[in-house]
């Protein structure tokens, strides 16, 4: 698996240090009350697990399955909600976590839905944000790292379901992306 990686973009120690400071930012912004955290599966799983264990606030964890990539390296342009039920967020403060902000369609679509469902407030956090023009006007409140516009894997991010368990974020060799 590691042989398929052309270069490591962000190593484990750097990610861990950044998560410490992101957790402090979240604690500072949400001083009271219980927060509902919504983790977008599967990409944000690793990031969220490591981040949330650092957040010293009462919180409930929910997960949502959404799909926009359908397995490859290009966004399909459509965001599908795959779950039968949607978390109960009416009147609640929500922290929405995703792995990466790319076209912005996913965060936009889920944020709109959370507001329709009556969330009192929605904050968004991503491990990575690609430095590019977005299809939707959206920005995350918490961003781990800004990266260039290239396809990355590891630390929860996949290519065709693989590489999520790499402990770092890296770029795939072109011959591995087939
Ligand atoms: P959008 O375009 O909606 O993208 O902002 C968000 C979702 O697209 C996936 N994505 C990636 N997955 N490497 C990946 O493994 C990437 O470089 C990448 N860029 C976007 C991801 O699922 C994210 O939630």
């Amino acid at each position: 698996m590691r042989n398929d990686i052309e270069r490591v973009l962000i190593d484990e120690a750097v990610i861990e240090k950044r998560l410490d400071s992101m957790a402090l930012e979240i604690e500072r912004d949400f001083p009271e009350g219980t927060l509902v955290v919504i983790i977008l599966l599967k990409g944000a799983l690793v990031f969220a697990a490591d981040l949330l264990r650092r957040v010293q606030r009462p919180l409930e964890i929910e997960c949502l399955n959404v799909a926009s990539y359908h397995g490859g390296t290009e966004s399909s342009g459509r965001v599908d909600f795959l779950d039968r039920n949607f978390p109960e967020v009416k009147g609640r403060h929500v922290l929405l976590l995703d792995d990466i902000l790319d076209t912005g369609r996913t965060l936009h679509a889920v944020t709109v839905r959370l507001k329709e469902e009556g969330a009192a407030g929605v904050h968004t956090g991503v491990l990575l944000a690609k430095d590019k023009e977005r299809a939707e006007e959206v920005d995350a409140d918490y961003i781990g790292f800004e990266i260039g516009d290239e396809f990355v894997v590891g630390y929860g991010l996949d290519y065709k379901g693989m590489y999520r368990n790499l402990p770092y974020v890296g770029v795939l060799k072109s011959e591995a992306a087939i």
Side-chain angles (χ1 to χ4, degrees), residues 48-102:
D50 285 351
L51 175 68
L52 295 178
R53 278 177 295 171
R54 290 166 159 85
V55 176
Q56 303 296 309
R57 288 284 177 274
L59 46 87
E60 288 171 24
I61 296 178
E62 298 281 353
C63 295
L64 259 191
N65 273 288
V66 292
S68 63
Y69 259 52
H70 310 292
T73 62
E74 292 292 330
S75 170
S76 71
R78 199 188 68 218
V79 178
D80 295 322
F81 288 82
L82 306 178
D83 300 296
R84 188 189 295 241
N85 299 315
F86 198 82
E88 183 52 60
V89 295
K90 202 170 173 51
R92 315 286 308 273
H93 287 276
V94 175
L95 172 62
L96 174 63
L97 295 179
D98 202 4
D99 50 0
I100 188 165
L101 181 55
D102 184 1

Side-chain angles (χ1 to χ4, degrees), residues 19-68:
L19 295 188
D20 288 342
S21 55
M22 283 177 93
L24 291 177
E25 288 171 37
I26 293 166
E27 287 174 10
R28 187 198 57 208
D29 291 353
F30 298 97
E32 276 169 40
T34 302
L35 190 60
V36 181
V37 181
I38 297 189
I39 302 169
L40 296 186
L41 297 177
K42 302 169 191 163
L45 197 58
V46 176
F47 160 54
D50 285 351
L51 175 68
L52 295 178
R53 278 177 295 171
R54 290 166 159 85
V55 176
Q56 303 296 309
R57 288 284 177 274
L59 46 87
E60 288 171 24
I61 296 178
E62 298 281 353
C63 295
L64 259 191
N65 273 288
V66 292
S68 63

Side-chain angles (χ1 to χ4, degrees), residues 101-105 128-140 143 146:
L101 181 55
D102 184 1
T103 65
R105 288 191 185 101
L128 307 169
K130 287 187 184 173
D131 182 14
K132 66 188 279 188
E133 213 167 293
R134 315 239 182 265
E136 295 289 348
E137 238 183 74
V138 62
D139 210 357
I143 294 174
E146 300 257 5

